[in-house]
Amino acid sequence: LILFIKKIHAGVEQIITKEEKEEASRAYVAAKSLGKTSNGMSNISTNLYLSGHAAHAIYLLGKECSSSPKHANNLNNYAALIIMAGGEQAAIPILQNLNQSFPNNSTILNNLGQEWYGMGEINKKKKYLDMAIRLFEDHPQANQTKCWIQKSEGNDKGAIESLKRSIREVY
């Protein structure tokens, strides 16, 4: 897995702009010099993403995952960032590895469902989203995506129920 993560990170370095890479690298070095833990690096990455700096977030967390590849939460978050950036195929090995190590984890199962949803794999996306919802009935992301699937299939009643469950958890 470590070689795969390093390969993804090298690919990210090729895609992002020189300025984004330099800024994210400076942020990484500064955070490490302040003694930030892997959890802290994940929090910084999440804040970068939420503030509109997706490339910085992916670069920083990819660098952290390359140096601390056994931190499962970071790996899961890294895969989620990759999925949200449209790189679903790159997240597959990370999430499958995590799912083997941590079976029945609703967050990992949801991310697998989101990954397959992004790739258009109907049966796989339903399987993983349904598994996530069985473990956590009101899982907001899994229910929201399930709502979109049900709506596209003409199941308006099911879509409404899924959306209600999603909203119930996050409201």
Side-chain angles (χ1 to χ4, degrees):
L1 189 60
I2 182 66
L3 295 175
F4 184 77
I5 292 167
K6 287 182 178 186
K7 182 179 177 183
I8 292 172
H9 186 65
V12 168
E13 287 181 318
Q14 297 297 316
I15 294 170
I16 67 173
T17 68
K18 180 181 176 188
E19 293 78 22
E20 288 170 326
K21 180 181 172 183
E22 289 173 357
E23 289 170 358
S25 185
R26 282 194 302 271
Y28 181 84
V29 169
K32 283 298 194 180
S33 71
L34 292 171
K36 295 294 181 186
T37 64
S38 272
N39 285 337
M41 298 305 280
S42 182
N43 291 339
I44 291 168
S45 178
T46 299
N47 285 322
L48 283 167
Y49 183 83
L50 293 173
S51 64
H53 300 284
H56 295 79
I58 294 169
Y59 178 88
L60 186 138
L61 196 52
K63 192 164 181 72
E64 181 62 19
C65 287
S66 294
S67 67
S68 298
K70 294 186 181 186
H71 195 282
N73 190 52
N74 282 1
L75 292 171
N76 188 54
N77 289 342
Y78 187 51
L81 289 174
I82 292 168
I83 291 167
M84 291 186 289
E88 292 87 356
Q89 69 285 358
I92 293 171
I94 297 170
L95 291 171
Q96 287 177 335
N97 181 284
L98 288 171
N99 192 39
Q100 287 177 3
S101 299
F102 304 97
N104 298 318
N105 179 298
S106 65
T107 303
I108 294 168
L109 292 168
N110 170 64
N111 285 344
L112 281 162
Q114 301 301 330
E115 165 196 6
W116 292 116
Y117 178 78
M119 294 178 66
E121 293 285 339
I122 294 169
N123 293 329
K124 288 183 181 180
K125 67 185 171 192
K126 286 181 180 180
K127 170 187 167 186
Y128 288 109
L129 293 172
D130 286 343
M131 288 170 68
I133 292 167
R134 268 194 299 280
L135 292 166
F136 177 13
E137 182 181 13
D138 293 340
H139 195 292
Q141 291 82 20
N143 275 295
Q144 182 180 26
T145 303
K146 186 170 181 177
C147 166
W148 296 333
I149 294 166
Q150 290 168 317
K151 178 72 175 158
S152 73
E153 295 172 339
N155 180 359
D156 292 345
K157 185 177 179 179
I160 290 167
E161 288 308 311
S162 293
L163 187 57
K164 284 179 180 179
R165 283 192 301 275
S166 175
I167 292 169
R168 182 171 51 222
E169 177 60 26
V170 295
Y171 181 67

